[in-house]
Amino acid sequence: MILGFSTHKILPDRPQVNRQLLDQTQFPLLASLQACANRRDAPFYTPGHKRGAGTPDGLRTLLGMPALQADLPELPDLDNLFAPQGVIQEAQELAAAAFGAEQTWFLTNGSTGGILAAILATCHPGDKIILPRNVHQSAISGLVLAGAMPVFLQPEYDPQLDIAHSITPEAVTEALSAHPDARAVMMVSPTYYGVCGNVAEIAQRCHQYSIPLLVDEAHGSHFAFHTGLPTPALAAGADLSVQSIHKTLSALTQAAMLHVQGDRIERDRLTRTLALVQSTSPNYLLLASLDAARHQMATQGKELLEQTLSLARQASTEIAQIPGLSLLTPDQAKTPGFAALDPTRLTVTVSGLGIDGFTADKILHNQFGVICELPSLQHLTFIITLGNQATDIHRLVCALKSLPSPFSPSPSFLPPLSSLLPPLSSLLSPLSFPLPPLSPRQAFFSPTETLPIAQATGHISTELICPYPPGIPVLMPGEVVTEAGIAYLQQVLAAGGIISGCSDPDLQTLKVVRM
């Protein structure tokens, strides 16, 4: 299914493609790669394994000769990713039409590359960008590379579930009022748990200030192909979205796309920034997998996703009947940051069984061969895609039924962190949205020193430290370390949570800017 397209105008120097002439049954890049792989020539070009002839036996056995023969460089028939005029350009135009964009770029460095390029394309050194504190680490890397100054928003947080959701239109408006010179807003939708924010309303508020809305839509590449799924970011009015086609569709790992519409983003600059963050030797197996995934969804997407949704409904129905377990559902939307839920993303709360999510994950993995996408203190999150089958659902349900009985709770069971910790909002920026003393770039490139945790208060952090749950960073590079923040992180560890981003996982020391 192909959605209708945005009414935003195309840049005047870029001719509009007549989408009525595009044939979605074609896969130009994949077909060209197949032809080149089958051609017998004398290869005096990279890669060094020469179509698999020099590949070690173990790797050849794992990958197979067809894949190795197709591991080719930028031969004349295969076009150039950074100046496409042939099959890559055709494949990207087909993808733009299928996903509802005005222009699409293929990415071989995952959504990470797209996030980096989006920030570099919209922010000059010193420019402000508004974004949630629970952005992906790649966004912080983008701030470091661009030299941009973050205006962080606290995402809405459900203390009962210990899950952070999206930012709200109201928070965006308050931040824009405080910082009307901001160059862009970035949001995450959907989150890792499948929760979507109010993209449409946030886009409208951004556009009132004539700035673009950038959406990290890494986990939502399937939204455009079935009406039973949340509205895609572009269809809701976003100016740019980055999607990991490998996460929820069928492309190879690390294959992603960046989509743009409208005239609020300088596309030539975006093309240049993409060249900064991607290899000049892109993997054509990844590129071809994007072409193939687009073809699959454009021609069979509705049918495949109908099957996927059916499996998800079956799993949800059966899991909801298991004593001690519950599911994240739209009915649990108790915060304004929860506008919609991806039904193919199942977040199962296991705390009612008297065990934590990490223990449950180990049991499922070691005893039943069932592996979730994301374990957390109270939950397990599972992704159901077009690659799953009924046997997978049966195995999942049987494994969950075999978890320890809810009537004999483990003495090590931890109550929700929300009952043990002070409100996270008390540690983060108030509505005045102050800027950090240093930008992430300045902190990153400053001389550092490692201090005992008791001596770090008042110093400027060079680390991004995030407790799980709720997955909202307490310290960012460039921010001042506070006693309250350290106390919060120590309580998370004491309560059984985990902390990422700290060079010392025991939180005995912190890296700070040398005074």
Side-chain angles (χ1 to χ4, degrees):
M1 180 183 76
I2 303 174
L3 299 179
F5 307 112
S6 167
T7 57
H8 283 301
K9 65 181 180 180
I10 300 289
L11 290 179
D13 60 348
R14 191 178 302 279
Q16 186 170 2
V17 176
N18 187 342
R19 301 191 172 185
Q20 308 245 335
L21 301 179
L22 294 178
D23 184 355
Q24 292 287 352
T25 66
Q26 300 299 306
F27 32 81
L29 180 53
L30 178 63
S32 183
L33 184 61
Q34 287 175 327
C36 289
N38 293 330
R39 190 171 60 208
R40 294 295 171 258
D41 56 19
F44 294 99
Y45 48 77
T46 61
H49 63 70
K50 306 294 183 179
R51 297 173 174 267
T55 301
D57 291 342
L59 185 60
R60 185 186 300 118
T61 300
L62 175 66
L63 298 181
M65 284 302 292
L68 293 168
Q69 289 169 347
D71 183 23
L72 297 170
E74 292 174 303
L75 301 176
D77 293 345
L78 295 179
D79 206 359
N80 185 319
L81 180 62
F82 300 106
Q85 297 180 333
V87 291
I88 292 179
Q89 180 179 11
E90 294 174 24
Q92 291 184 154
E93 289 172 351
L94 286 164
F99 285 86
E102 288 177 0
Q103 188 171 356
T104 291
W105 289 259
F106 284 0
L107 309 176
T108 58
N109 192 26
S111 282
T112 292
I115 296 295
L116 295 175
I119 294 175
L120 286 165
T122 53
C123 294
H124 293 88
D127 283 347
K128 300 173 187 174
I129 179 171
I130 297 168
L131 66 173
R133 287 190 70 94
N134 61 338
V135 288
H136 188 266
Q137 183 176 343
S138 60
I140 307 304
S141 299
L143 298 176
V144 170
L145 293 175
M149 184 66 78
V151 177
F152 285 120
L153 302 183
Q154 181 185 351
E156 293 297 311
Y157 172 59
D158 188 323
Q160 298 301 316
L161 295 173
D162 275 338
I163 292 177
H165 298 318
S166 183
I167 55 177
T168 66
E170 292 74 21
V172 170
T173 296
E174 290 168 348
L176 287 170
S177 297
H179 298 281
D181 55 342
R183 295 297 298 270
V185 172
M186 175 175 282
M187 66 181 296
V188 180
S189 185
T191 67
Y192 227 120
Y193 298 99
V195 173
C196 300
N198 190 340
V199 178
E201 183 63 29
I202 292 174
Q204 290 180 11
R205 301 193 184 202
C206 291
H207 297 163
Q208 290 173 0
Y209 283 78
S210 299
I211 63 171
L213 173 62
L214 320 176
V215 180
D216 177 350
E217 200 177 18
H219 289 268
S221 61
H222 53 309
F223 288 178
F225 301 98
H226 198 285
T227 56
L229 295 167
T231 302
L234 289 184
D239 301 274
L240 178 151
S241 75
V242 180
Q243 297 178 337
S244 293
I245 309 302
H246 68 92
K247 287 190 188 324
T248 58
L249 297 180
S250 59
L252 296 178
T253 296
Q254 207 168 307
M257 294 183 191
L258 185 152
H259 309 291
V260 163
Q261 65 181 352
D263 57 2
R264 296 183 184 88
I265 294 173
E266 186 181 339
R267 300 190 197 176
D268 288 340
R269 182 177 174 184
L270 183 57
T271 297
R272 295 196 304 273
T273 61
L274 281 168
L276 293 175
V277 297
Q278 298 206 93
S279 171
T280 55
S281 301
N283 188 308
Y284 270 87
L285 295 172
L286 301 183
L287 294 173
S289 76
L290 289 170
D291 195 25
R294 181 275 315 160
H295 171 270
Q296 180 183 45
M297 297 312 295
T299 58
Q300 307 171 59
K302 184 177 181 180
E303 175 187 351
L304 291 171
L305 287 173
E306 186 61 48
Q307 297 170 6
T308 303
L309 287 165
S310 177
L311 291 177
R313 287 191 292 268
Q314 176 189 342
S316 297
T317 299
E318 296 187 29
I319 293 170
Q321 297 173 4
I322 300 175
L325 298 183
S326 61
L327 284 160
L328 180 64
T329 67
D331 295 337
Q332 292 176 291
K334 297 183 175 68
T335 78
F338 192 147
L341 180 67
D342 176 5
T344 69
R345 189 67 54 108
L346 303 183
T347 294
V348 181
T349 303
V350 299
S351 54
L353 295 176
I355 60 175
D356 61 80
F358 304 111
T359 300
D361 180 49
K362 291 178 182 177
I363 295 172
L364 295 182
H365 186 180
N366 296 334
Q367 298 183 23
F368 302 98
V370 171
I371 304 174
C372 74
E373 169 66 15
L374 176 69
S376 59
L377 194 65
Q378 295 195 63
H379 317 287
L380 297 174
T381 298
F382 303 87
I383 302 176
I384 298 178
T385 73
L386 51 83
N388 284 113
Q389 301 180 23
T391 52
D392 298 326
I393 303 303
H394 176 73
R395 191 168 178 176
L396 169 62
V397 172
C398 289
L400 290 173
K401 286 180 178 179
S402 300
L403 287 173
S405 167
F407 304 108
S408 45
S410 165
S412 63
F413 168 63
L414 296 166
L417 283 184
S418 59
S419 67
L420 304 174
L421 301 173
L424 186 60
S425 58
S426 65
L427 309 179
L428 304 179
S429 300
L431 293 183
S432 57
F433 305 105
L435 298 176
L438 294 181
S439 72
R441 179 183 179 86
Q442 290 170 318
F444 184 88
F445 287 108
S446 293
T448 66
E449 59 180 331
T450 300
L451 295 179
I453 193 74
Q455 299 176 22
T457 299
H459 289 258
I460 297 175
S461 174
T462 63
E463 301 189 272
L464 189 161
I465 302 181
C466 184
Y468 291 90
I472 303 173
V474 170
L475 284 178
M476 289 277 192
E479 293 183 333
V480 175
V481 180
T482 65
E483 288 185 7
I486 290 175
Y488 186 94
L489 293 170
Q490 289 174 329
Q491 289 183 60
V492 168
L493 288 176
I498 60 174
I499 291 174
S500 71
C502 185
S503 55
D504 179 357
D506 296 325
L507 201 65
Q508 298 301 304
T509 62
L510 280 178
K511 281 189 175 180
V512 298
V513 173
R514 185 184 304 162
M515 292 291 196

mmCIF file of all heavy atoms in Angstrom, residues 27-64:
data_model
loop_
_atom_site.group_PDB
_atom_site.id
_atom_site.type_symbol
_atom_site.label_atom_id
_atom_site.label_comp_id
_atom_site.label_asym_id
_atom_site.label_seq_id
_atom_site.Cartn_x
_atom_site.Cartn_y
_atom_site.Cartn_z
ATOM 1 N N PHE A 27 12.906 -3.657 -8.956
ATOM 2 C CA PHE A 27 13.939 -3.462 -7.926
ATOM 3 C C PHE A 27 15.257 -3.215 -8.645
ATOM 4 O O PHE A 27 16.083 -4.114 -8.813
ATOM 5 C CB PHE A 27 14.031 -4.644 -6.964
ATOM 6 C CG PHE A 27 13.710 -5.985 -7.550
ATOM 7 C CD1 PHE A 27 14.659 -6.692 -8.278
ATOM 8 C CD2 PHE A 27 12.458 -6.551 -7.368
ATOM 9 C CE1 PHE A 27 14.360 -7.924 -8.808
ATOM 10 C CE2 PHE A 27 12.152 -7.790 -7.894
ATOM 11 C CZ PHE A 27 13.113 -8.481 -8.623
ATOM 12 N N PRO A 28 15.474 -1.982 -9.111
ATOM 13 C CA PRO A 28 16.600 -1.676 -9.993
ATOM 14 C C PRO A 28 17.965 -1.958 -9.388
ATOM 15 O O PRO A 28 18.850 -2.503 -10.065
ATOM 16 C CB PRO A 28 16.428 -0.180 -10.278
ATOM 17 C CG PRO A 28 15.554 0.340 -9.180
ATOM 18 C CD PRO A 28 14.646 -0.786 -8.830
ATOM 19 N N LEU A 29 18.158 -1.614 -8.130
ATOM 20 C CA LEU A 29 19.473 -1.813 -7.519
ATOM 21 C C LEU A 29 19.738 -3.290 -7.273
ATOM 22 O O LEU A 29 20.839 -3.798 -7.553
ATOM 23 C CB LEU A 29 19.554 -1.022 -6.215
ATOM 24 C CG LEU A 29 20.866 -1.106 -5.439
ATOM 25 C CD1 LEU A 29 22.058 -0.755 -6.314
ATOM 26 C CD2 LEU A 29 20.810 -0.197 -4.224
ATOM 27 N N LEU A 30 18.755 -3.986 -6.753
ATOM 28 C CA LEU A 30 18.913 -5.420 -6.518
ATOM 29 C C LEU A 30 19.180 -6.159 -7.819
ATOM 30 O O LEU A 30 20.069 -7.025 -7.896
ATOM 31 C CB LEU A 30 17.659 -5.978 -5.837
ATOM 32 C CG LEU A 30 17.645 -7.488 -5.574
ATOM 33 C CD1 LEU A 30 18.762 -7.876 -4.616
ATOM 34 C CD2 LEU A 30 16.287 -7.924 -5.023
ATOM 35 N N ALA A 31 18.429 -5.818 -8.865
ATOM 36 C CA ALA A 31 18.615 -6.491 -10.154
ATOM 37 C C ALA A 31 19.992 -6.222 -10.728
ATOM 38 O O ALA A 31 20.652 -7.125 -11.268
ATOM 39 C CB ALA A 31 17.525 -6.037 -11.126
ATOM 40 N N SER A 32 20.465 -4.997 -10.616
ATOM 41 C CA SER A 32 21.785 -4.665 -11.137
ATOM 42 C C SER A 32 22.876 -5.389 -10.364
ATOM 43 O O SER A 32 23.857 -5.876 -10.954
ATOM 44 C CB SER A 32 22.001 -3.151 -11.079
ATOM 45 O OG SER A 32 23.232 -2.790 -11.645
ATOM 46 N N LEU A 33 22.719 -5.487 -9.041
ATOM 47 C CA LEU A 33 23.710 -6.196 -8.242
ATOM 48 C C LEU A 33 23.716 -7.679 -8.590
ATOM 49 O O LEU A 33 24.795 -8.301 -8.670
ATOM 50 C CB LEU A 33 23.416 -6.000 -6.752
ATOM 51 C CG LEU A 33 24.437 -6.602 -5.783
ATOM 52 C CD1 LEU A 33 25.819 -5.989 -5.994
ATOM 53 C CD2 LEU A 33 23.991 -6.415 -4.334
ATOM 54 N N GLN A 34 22.537 -8.254 -8.802
ATOM 55 C CA GLN A 34 22.476 -9.658 -9.195
ATOM 56 C C GLN A 34 23.203 -9.881 -10.512
ATOM 57 O O GLN A 34 23.954 -10.854 -10.675
ATOM 58 C CB GLN A 34 21.012 -10.100 -9.315
ATOM 59 C CG GLN A 34 20.301 -10.264 -7.979
ATOM 60 C CD GLN A 34 18.829 -10.582 -8.153
ATOM 61 O OE1 GLN A 34 18.173 -10.124 -9.097
ATOM 62 N NE2 GLN A 34 18.286 -11.355 -7.225
ATOM 63 N N ALA A 35 22.990 -8.978 -11.468
ATOM 64 C CA ALA A 35 23.635 -9.120 -12.775
ATOM 65 C C ALA A 35 25.151 -9.017 -12.649
ATOM 66 O O ALA A 35 25.897 -9.798 -13.263
ATOM 67 C CB ALA A 35 23.095 -8.052 -13.724
ATOM 68 N N CYS A 36 25.617 -8.083 -11.857
ATOM 69 C CA CYS A 36 27.071 -7.923 -11.675
ATOM 70 C C CYS A 36 27.668 -9.122 -10.943
ATOM 71 O O CYS A 36 28.794 -9.551 -11.244
ATOM 72 C CB CYS A 36 27.370 -6.642 -10.904
ATOM 73 S SG CYS A 36 27.067 -5.122 -11.842
ATOM 74 N N ALA A 37 26.926 -9.660 -9.973
ATOM 75 C CA ALA A 37 27.433 -10.810 -9.224
ATOM 76 C C ALA A 37 27.544 -12.040 -10.105
ATOM 77 O O ALA A 37 28.440 -12.880 -9.906
ATOM 78 C CB ALA A 37 26.510 -11.096 -8.044
ATOM 79 N N ASN A 38 26.659 -12.168 -11.080
ATOM 80 C CA ASN A 38 26.667 -13.337 -11.969
ATOM 81 C C ASN A 38 27.626 -13.197 -13.134
ATOM 82 O O ASN A 38 27.880 -14.169 -13.854
ATOM 83 C CB ASN A 38 25.254 -13.596 -12.499
ATOM 84 C CG ASN A 38 24.304 -14.027 -11.396
ATOM 85 O OD1 ASN A 38 24.720 -14.646 -10.414
ATOM 86 N ND2 ASN A 38 23.027 -13.708 -11.545
ATOM 87 N N ARG A 39 28.133 -11.976 -13.319
ATOM 88 C CA ARG A 39 29.051 -11.749 -14.441
ATOM 89 C C ARG A 39 30.426 -12.293 -14.092
ATOM 90 O O ARG A 39 30.937 -12.077 -12.998
ATOM 91 C CB ARG A 39 29.121 -10.253 -14.727
ATOM 92 C CG ARG A 39 29.852 -9.894 -16.014
ATOM 93 C CD ARG A 39 29.662 -8.419 -16.313
ATOM 94 N NE ARG A 39 30.195 -7.581 -15.235
ATOM 95 C CZ ARG A 39 29.729 -6.371 -14.935
ATOM 96 N NH1 ARG A 39 28.711 -5.860 -15.613
ATOM 97 N NH2 ARG A 39 30.266 -5.673 -13.953
ATOM 98 N N ARG A 40 31.040 -12.985 -15.001
ATOM 99 C CA ARG A 40 32.360 -13.556 -14.776
ATOM 100 C C ARG A 40 33.407 -12.641 -15.398
ATOM 101 O O ARG A 40 33.538 -12.581 -16.627
ATOM 102 C CB ARG A 40 32.452 -14.963 -15.361
ATOM 103 C CG ARG A 40 31.542 -15.958 -14.664
ATOM 104 C CD ARG A 40 31.976 -16.162 -13.197
ATOM 105 N NE ARG A 40 30.995 -16.955 -12.452
ATOM 106 C CZ ARG A 40 30.129 -16.439 -11.620
ATOM 107 N NH1 ARG A 40 30.090 -15.135 -11.420
ATOM 108 N NH2 ARG A 40 29.289 -17.202 -10.954
ATOM 109 N N ASP A 41 34.139 -11.923 -14.571
ATOM 110 C CA ASP A 41 35.184 -11.045 -15.074
ATOM 111 C C ASP A 41 36.465 -11.300 -14.292
ATOM 112 O O ASP A 41 36.498 -12.121 -13.375
ATOM 113 C CB ASP A 41 34.765 -9.569 -14.988
ATOM 114 C CG ASP A 41 34.369 -9.144 -13.575
ATOM 115 O OD1 ASP A 41 34.751 -9.847 -12.612
ATOM 116 O OD2 ASP A 41 33.689 -8.126 -13.416
ATOM 117 N N ALA A 42 37.514 -10.631 -14.672
ATOM 118 C CA ALA A 42 38.782 -10.705 -13.946
ATOM 119 C C ALA A 42 38.800 -9.543 -12.958
ATOM 120 O O ALA A 42 39.017 -8.396 -13.361
ATOM 121 C CB ALA A 42 39.960 -10.628 -14.909
ATOM 122 N N PRO A 43 38.587 -9.789 -11.660
ATOM 123 C CA PRO A 43 38.389 -8.705 -10.693
ATOM 124 C C PRO A 43 39.703 -8.108 -10.181
ATOM 125 O O PRO A 43 40.317 -8.653 -9.270
ATOM 126 C CB PRO A 43 37.614 -9.387 -9.573
ATOM 127 C CG PRO A 43 38.071 -10.811 -9.613
ATOM 128 C CD PRO A 43 38.386 -11.113 -11.048
ATOM 129 N N PHE A 44 40.092 -6.995 -10.755
ATOM 130 C CA PHE A 44 41.266 -6.275 -10.260
ATOM 131 C C PHE A 44 40.831 -5.050 -9.455
ATOM 132 O O PHE A 44 41.379 -3.966 -9.598
ATOM 133 C CB PHE A 44 42.162 -5.874 -11.435
ATOM 134 C CG PHE A 44 42.763 -7.066 -12.146
ATOM 135 C CD1 PHE A 44 42.198 -7.548 -13.314
ATOM 136 C CD2 PHE A 44 43.867 -7.716 -11.609
ATOM 137 C CE1 PHE A 44 42.732 -8.654 -13.949
ATOM 138 C CE2 PHE A 44 44.413 -8.827 -12.251
ATOM 139 C CZ PHE A 44 43.842 -9.302 -13.416
ATOM 140 N N TYR A 45 39.820 -5.248 -8.635
ATOM 141 C CA TYR A 45 39.245 -4.180 -7.816
ATOM 142 C C TYR A 45 38.932 -4.764 -6.445
ATOM 143 O O TYR A 45 39.002 -5.986 -6.228
ATOM 144 C CB TYR A 45 37.982 -3.609 -8.470
ATOM 145 C CG TYR A 45 36.988 -4.652 -8.957
ATOM 146 C CD1 TYR A 45 36.149 -5.312 -8.050
ATOM 147 C CD2 TYR A 45 36.891 -4.985 -10.301
ATOM 148 C CE1 TYR A 45 35.250 -6.266 -8.483
ATOM 149 C CE2 TYR A 45 35.996 -5.950 -10.743
ATOM 150 C CZ TYR A 45 35.175 -6.586 -9.827
ATOM 151 O OH TYR A 45 34.287 -7.541 -10.248
ATOM 152 N N THR A 46 38.621 -3.890 -5.510
ATOM 153 C CA THR A 46 38.267 -4.339 -4.167
ATOM 154 C C THR A 46 36.870 -4.970 -4.183
ATOM 155 O O THR A 46 36.102 -4.745 -5.135
ATOM 156 C CB THR A 46 38.272 -3.146 -3.194
ATOM 157 O OG1 THR A 46 37.316 -2.194 -3.631
ATOM 158 C CG2 THR A 46 39.648 -2.516 -3.126
ATOM 159 N N PRO A 47 36.517 -5.740 -3.157
ATOM 160 C CA PRO A 47 37.298 -6.125 -1.983
ATOM 161 C C PRO A 47 38.303 -7.227 -2.282
ATOM 162 O O PRO A 47 38.221 -7.897 -3.314
ATOM 163 C CB PRO A 47 36.226 -6.598 -0.997
ATOM 164 C CG PRO A 47 35.120 -7.100 -1.862
ATOM 165 C CD PRO A 47 35.106 -6.202 -3.064
ATOM 166 N N GLY A 48 39.219 -7.413 -1.337
ATOM 167 C CA GLY A 48 40.341 -8.303 -1.587
ATOM 168 C C GLY A 48 39.998 -9.763 -1.717
ATOM 169 O O GLY A 48 40.796 -10.528 -2.274
ATOM 170 N N HIS A 49 38.834 -10.175 -1.251
ATOM 171 C CA HIS A 49 38.505 -11.608 -1.363
ATOM 172 C C HIS A 49 38.122 -11.996 -2.794
ATOM 173 O O HIS A 49 37.999 -13.190 -3.092
ATOM 174 C CB HIS A 49 37.394 -11.991 -0.380
ATOM 175 C CG HIS A 49 36.076 -11.315 -0.610
ATOM 176 N ND1 HIS A 49 35.260 -11.582 -1.684
ATOM 177 C CD2 HIS A 49 35.419 -10.382 0.130
ATOM 178 C CE1 HIS A 49 34.154 -10.871 -1.601
ATOM 179 N NE2 HIS A 49 34.233 -10.111 -0.519
ATOM 180 N N LYS A 50 37.941 -10.996 -3.685
ATOM 181 C CA LYS A 50 37.688 -11.233 -5.111
ATOM 182 C C LYS A 50 36.512 -12.190 -5.340
ATOM 183 O O LYS A 50 36.675 -13.331 -5.763
ATOM 184 C CB LYS A 50 38.943 -11.773 -5.793
ATOM 185 C CG LYS A 50 40.191 -10.907 -5.599
ATOM 186 C CD LYS A 50 40.076 -9.557 -6.277
ATOM 187 C CE LYS A 50 41.377 -8.770 -6.111
ATOM 188 N NZ LYS A 50 41.342 -7.474 -6.770
ATOM 189 N N ARG A 51 35.328 -11.707 -4.991
ATOM 190 C CA ARG A 51 34.090 -12.458 -5.222
ATOM 191 C C ARG A 51 34.051 -13.791 -4.473
ATOM 192 O O ARG A 51 33.417 -14.741 -4.905
ATOM 193 C CB ARG A 51 33.878 -12.717 -6.715
ATOM 194 C CG ARG A 51 33.694 -11.461 -7.554
ATOM 195 C CD ARG A 51 33.667 -11.821 -9.042
ATOM 196 N NE ARG A 51 33.359 -10.675 -9.859
ATOM 197 C CZ ARG A 51 32.135 -10.346 -10.258
ATOM 198 N NH1 ARG A 51 31.112 -11.063 -9.879
ATOM 199 N NH2 ARG A 51 31.942 -9.288 -11.018
ATOM 200 N N GLY A 52 34.748 -13.859 -3.360
ATOM 201 C CA GLY A 52 34.712 -15.058 -2.533
ATOM 202 C C GLY A 52 35.856 -16.024 -2.752
ATOM 203 O O GLY A 52 36.054 -16.939 -1.955
ATOM 204 N N ALA A 53 36.637 -15.819 -3.812
ATOM 205 C CA ALA A 53 37.723 -16.760 -4.114
ATOM 206 C C ALA A 53 38.772 -16.779 -3.010
ATOM 207 O O ALA A 53 39.395 -17.819 -2.750
ATOM 208 C CB ALA A 53 38.374 -16.397 -5.448
ATOM 209 N N GLY A 54 38.980 -15.657 -2.339
ATOM 210 C CA GLY A 54 39.975 -15.586 -1.278
ATOM 211 C C GLY A 54 39.389 -15.595 0.120
ATOM 212 O O GLY A 54 40.095 -15.308 1.084
ATOM 213 N N THR A 55 38.129 -15.942 0.226
ATOM 214 C CA THR A 55 37.468 -15.931 1.524
ATOM 215 C C THR A 55 37.848 -17.165 2.341
ATOM 216 O O THR A 55 37.873 -18.276 1.804
ATOM 217 C CB THR A 55 35.939 -15.896 1.339
ATOM 218 O OG1 THR A 55 35.587 -14.731 0.601
ATOM 219 C CG2 THR A 55 35.221 -15.867 2.680
ATOM 220 N N PRO A 56 38.152 -16.998 3.628
ATOM 221 C CA PRO A 56 38.429 -18.167 4.477
ATOM 222 C C PRO A 56 37.256 -19.139 4.472
ATOM 223 O O PRO A 56 36.092 -18.745 4.358
ATOM 224 C CB PRO A 56 38.632 -17.549 5.867
ATOM 225 C CG PRO A 56 39.016 -16.136 5.609
ATOM 226 C CD PRO A 56 38.297 -15.731 4.356
ATOM 227 N N ASP A 57 37.571 -20.428 4.612
ATOM 228 C CA ASP A 57 36.546 -21.469 4.485
ATOM 229 C C ASP A 57 35.389 -21.271 5.460
ATOM 230 O O ASP A 57 34.217 -21.432 5.090
ATOM 231 C CB ASP A 57 37.186 -22.846 4.710
ATOM 232 C CG ASP A 57 38.132 -23.242 3.582
ATOM 233 O OD1 ASP A 57 38.033 -22.634 2.493
ATOM 234 O OD2 ASP A 57 38.967 -24.142 3.795
ATOM 235 N N GLY A 58 35.718 -20.908 6.712
ATOM 236 C CA GLY A 58 34.648 -20.769 7.701
ATOM 237 C C GLY A 58 33.665 -19.678 7.340
ATOM 238 O O GLY A 58 32.446 -19.863 7.455
ATOM 239 N N LEU A 59 34.179 -18.563 6.857
ATOM 240 C CA LEU A 59 33.297 -17.457 6.478
ATOM 241 C C LEU A 59 32.529 -17.799 5.207
ATOM 242 O O LEU A 59 31.348 -17.463 5.076
ATOM 243 C CB LEU A 59 34.112 -16.177 6.275
ATOM 244 C CG LEU A 59 33.313 -14.909 5.985
ATOM 245 C CD1 LEU A 59 32.351 -14.602 7.126
ATOM 246 C CD2 LEU A 59 34.244 -13.726 5.739
ATOM 247 N N ARG A 60 33.186 -18.495 4.282
ATOM 248 C CA ARG A 60 32.503 -18.892 3.049
ATOM 249 C C ARG A 60 31.353 -19.840 3.361
ATOM 250 O O ARG A 60 30.268 -19.761 2.774
ATOM 251 C CB ARG A 60 33.492 -19.561 2.086
ATOM 252 C CG ARG A 60 32.867 -19.883 0.717
ATOM 253 C CD ARG A 60 33.800 -20.669 -0.186
ATOM 254 N NE ARG A 60 35.035 -19.940 -0.444
ATOM 255 C CZ ARG A 60 36.238 -20.362 -0.086
ATOM 256 N NH1 ARG A 60 36.373 -21.512 0.569
ATOM 257 N NH2 ARG A 60 37.298 -19.653 -0.381
ATOM 258 N N THR A 61 31.582 -20.747 4.308
ATOM 259 C CA THR A 61 30.521 -21.676 4.701
ATOM 260 C C THR A 61 29.351 -20.933 5.336
ATOM 261 O O THR A 61 28.186 -21.250 5.095
ATOM 262 C CB THR A 61 31.074 -22.713 5.688
ATOM 263 O OG1 THR A 61 32.128 -23.445 5.054
ATOM 264 C CG2 THR A 61 29.989 -23.682 6.142
ATOM 265 N N LEU A 62 29.668 -19.929 6.144
ATOM 266 C CA LEU A 62 28.614 -19.174 6.819
ATOM 267 C C LEU A 62 27.797 -18.339 5.838
ATOM 268 O O LEU A 62 26.558 -18.354 5.866
ATOM 269 C CB LEU A 62 29.232 -18.271 7.884
ATOM 270 C CG LEU A 62 28.267 -17.314 8.605
ATOM 271 C CD1 LEU A 62 27.267 -18.103 9.431
ATOM 272 C CD2 LEU A 62 29.030 -16.338 9.494
ATOM 273 N N LEU A 63 28.477 -17.594 4.969
ATOM 274 C CA LEU A 63 27.776 -16.649 4.096
ATOM 275 C C LEU A 63 27.302 -17.270 2.791
ATOM 276 O O LEU A 63 26.275 -16.854 2.247
ATOM 277 C CB LEU A 63 28.686 -15.456 3.797
ATOM 278 C CG LEU A 63 29.127 -14.616 4.992
ATOM 279 C CD1 LEU A 63 29.996 -13.449 4.525
ATOM 280 C CD2 LEU A 63 27.928 -14.100 5.770
ATOM 281 N N GLY A 64 28.053 -18.205 2.265
ATOM 282 C CA GLY A 64 27.721 -18.781 0.965
ATOM 283 C C GLY A 64 28.307 -17.961 -0.167
ATOM 284 O O GLY A 64 28.470 -16.734 -0.058
#
